[in-house]
C-alpha cells in the first residue's frame, strides 16, 4: 500500500500535532511505502514572507526526521520541488465544478465572502487532490478536519476515470485517531493550537525545559483537588491525564490510582519532568539534523524519488487526455 500525506510548513508544531499525527506517520512507515510532502504551494494561499517560509520548510522537515520519519524508508520532499503537482492541479481543475468548491467549509471560513480572497484559496482542494493522485496513493492519513478534502479528491478521481478510463487510483482517507486530542493548557475546552496567542497554552516540540515546566505548572485545572478523568466536568485535569498517559504509556486508570490523594502541584511537577524527558531527545536530534547537510541531502533525494513517480503518472495522464505532441 502506498501512503501519502501533506503537511503545512508552519512553526509551533506542538505535542497535539505530535501525538495526533506525527507519531502515527512514524508507525505507518513500518508497514507501508510512505510519502510525506511539505506543501509549500498550499502555504502561499495565505501571503508568506519568503525567508520565513524557506526556514519553516526546513524546520518541519528536520522535525519529521527528529521524531523518527526515516528518509531512507520514506520519501520526504517539498511539493514545489516536483513540478507535476501544479501541472496535474490544472488538469484536475478542468474536471472540478465551481459549485463543489464553493461548498468547501474551509474555503467558506477562510474567505468569508471576501472578494479579494485569492483564487488559490478556492482551488486549494484541487491542488491537494493532485498531490494525492500524482502518487497513486491508496491511503491518506489526515486529521478529521480534512474529511471534505479527501471526499472531493475521490469524487474528482472517479469522475476522470468515468470519462477517460482507469487514470487514477481512488484513495481512502485514514482519519487519525482523535483519542489523544490534546487541549489547550490555559483553556482546556479548546484544542491546543499552533496559532493561539498565549505560548503557555501549548507545548511546542522545540520548547526548552523551563518553558515546558512553566506551561504545565500554570495550566488551568479546577478547585476540587481530585485527580480523576472526567473531560466534561474536569477538562483541565483530564487533559493533563491524557498527556501523562500518552508520554508514559500507562493507561489513565493506573495514573489515577498512582496519584490518589496527591495534590495538583505534585502531579504537575512529575508530569512536567515526564514531558521534558520525552521531548529532550527530540530537540537534541532536531538541533543536529537542522544544522546538518544530511537534511538538504534527504530533501534532494526525496524530491528525486518523488519526481520519478510523478513523471510516470503525468505521462499516463497526458496520454489519457490527449495532451501534447510527444507520446
Ligand atoms: P494542524 O495544526 O491543523 O496543521 O494539525 C496537523 C494535524 O495534527 C491534524 O490533522 C491533527 O491530526 C493533529 N492535531 C492538531 N492539533 C491537535 C490537537 N490539539 N490534538 C491532537 N491532534 C492534533
Ligand atoms: N490540507 C492539508 C492540511 O491542511 C495538507 C495537505 C496538502 C495534504 N496536500 C495534502 C494532506 C495531501 C494530505 C494529502 O492539513
Amino acid at each position: 500500500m502506498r501512503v501519502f500525506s501533506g503537511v503545512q510548513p508552519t512553526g509551533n508544531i506542538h505535542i497535539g500535532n505530535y501525538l495526533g499525527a506525527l507519531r502515527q506517520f512514524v508507525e505507518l512507515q513500518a508497514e507501508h511505502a510512505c510519502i510525506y510532502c511539505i506543501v509549500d504551494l498550499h502555504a502561499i494561499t495565505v501571503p508568506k514572507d519568503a525567508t520565513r517560509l524557506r526556514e519553516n520548510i526546513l524546520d518541519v522537515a528536520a522535525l519529521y526526521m527528529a521524531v523518527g520519519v526515516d528518509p531512507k524508508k520514506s520519501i520526504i520532499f517539498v511539493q514545489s520541488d516536483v513540478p507535476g503537482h501544479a501541472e496535474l492541479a490544472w488538469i484536475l481543475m478542468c474536471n472540478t465544478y465551481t459549485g463543489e468548491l464553493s461548498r468547501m467549509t474551509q474555503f467558506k471560513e477562510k474567505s468569508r465572502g471576501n472578494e479579494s480572497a485569492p483564487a488559490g484559496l478556492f482551488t486549494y482542494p484541487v491542488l491537494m487532490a493532485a498531490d494525492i493522485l500524482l502518487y497513486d496513493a491508496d491511503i491518506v492519513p489526515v486529521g478529521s478536519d480534512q474529511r471534505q478534502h479527501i471526499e472531493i479528491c475521490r469524487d474528482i478521481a472517479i469522475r476522470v476515470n468515468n470519462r477517460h478510463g482507469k487514470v487514477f487510483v481512488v484513495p481512502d482517507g485514514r482519519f487519525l485517531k482523535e483519542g489523544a486530542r490534546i487541549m489547550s493548557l490555559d483553556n482546556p475546552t479548546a484544542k491546543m493550537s499552533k496559532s493561539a496567542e498565549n505560548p503557555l497554552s501549548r507545548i511546542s516540540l522545540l520548547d526548552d525545559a523551563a518553558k515546558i515546566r512553566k506551561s504545565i505548572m500554570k495550566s488551568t485545572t479546577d478547585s476540587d483537588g481530585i485527580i480523576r478523568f472526567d473531560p466534561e466536568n474536569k477538562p483541565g485535569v483530564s487533559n493533563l491525564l491524557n498527556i501523562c498517559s500518552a508520554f508514559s504509556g500507562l493507561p489513565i486508570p493506573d495514573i489515577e490510582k498512582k496519584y490518589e490523594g496527591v495534590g495538583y502541584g505534585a502531579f504537575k511537577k512529575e508530569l512536567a519532568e515526564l514531558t521534558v524527558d520525552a521531548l529532550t531527545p527530540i530537540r537534541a536530534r532536531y538541533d543536529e539534523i537542522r544544522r546538518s547537510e544530511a537534511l538538504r541531502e534527504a530533501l534532494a533525494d526525496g524530491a528525486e524519488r518523488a519526481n520519478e513517480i510523478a513523471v510516470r503518472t503525468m505521462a499516463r495522464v497526458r496520454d489519457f487526455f490527449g495532451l501534447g505532441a510527444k507520446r
Side-chain angles (χ1 to χ4, degrees), residues 209-261:
K211 160 68 172 57
I212 295 171
R213 291 191 184 109
K214 192 165 174 197
S215 305
I216 293 181
M217 295 313 292
K218 282 195 175 291
S219 65
T220 304
T221 48
D222 51 52
S223 55
D224 73 5
I226 301 165
I227 298 172
R228 182 166 48 84
F229 189 74
D230 178 357
E232 188 102 343
N233 300 305
K234 296 168 68 65
V237 171
S238 303
N239 188 39
L240 296 182
L241 282 166
N242 245 333
I243 297 171
C244 186
S245 170
F247 283 129
S248 65
L250 289 174
I252 286 175
D254 293 11
I255 304 171
E256 286 172 331
K257 198 167 282 162
K258 181 172 167 196
Y259 290 103
E260 225 177 271

Side-chain angles (χ1 to χ4, degrees), residues 101-171:
L101 289 178
S102 38
R103 283 193 293 277
M104 293 288 118
T105 44
Q106 184 173 300
F107 174 69
K108 285 195 276 190
E109 277 165 17
K110 291 201 174 170
S111 66
R112 298 228 176 97
N114 183 352
E115 287 275 318
S116 51
L121 207 53
F122 188 59
T123 56
Y124 178 111
V126 189
L127 179 60
M128 176 161 162
D131 298 340
I132 298 167
L133 300 179
L134 195 54
Y135 298 95
D136 293 331
D138 304 289
I139 305 172
V140 185
V142 280
S144 40
D145 60 323
Q146 298 296 314
R147 207 172 273 276
Q148 224 186 5
H149 291 160
I150 299 295
E151 219 32 64
I152 197 173
C153 171
R154 291 171 50 88
D155 290 345
I156 297 169
I158 292 167
R159 183 175 306 143
V160 169
N161 287 353
N162 285 338
R163 285 180 185 161
H164 295 277
K166 180 108 193 53
V167 187
F168 295 124
V169 171
V170 180

Side-chain angles (χ1 to χ4, degrees), residues 14 16-17 20-21 142-143 145 176 180-182 191-192 194:
H14 51 70
N17 299 129
V142 280
D145 60 323
L176 300 170
R181 191 153 178 255
I182 305 300
K191 255 190 8 172
M192 183 176 286
K194 288 172 181 167

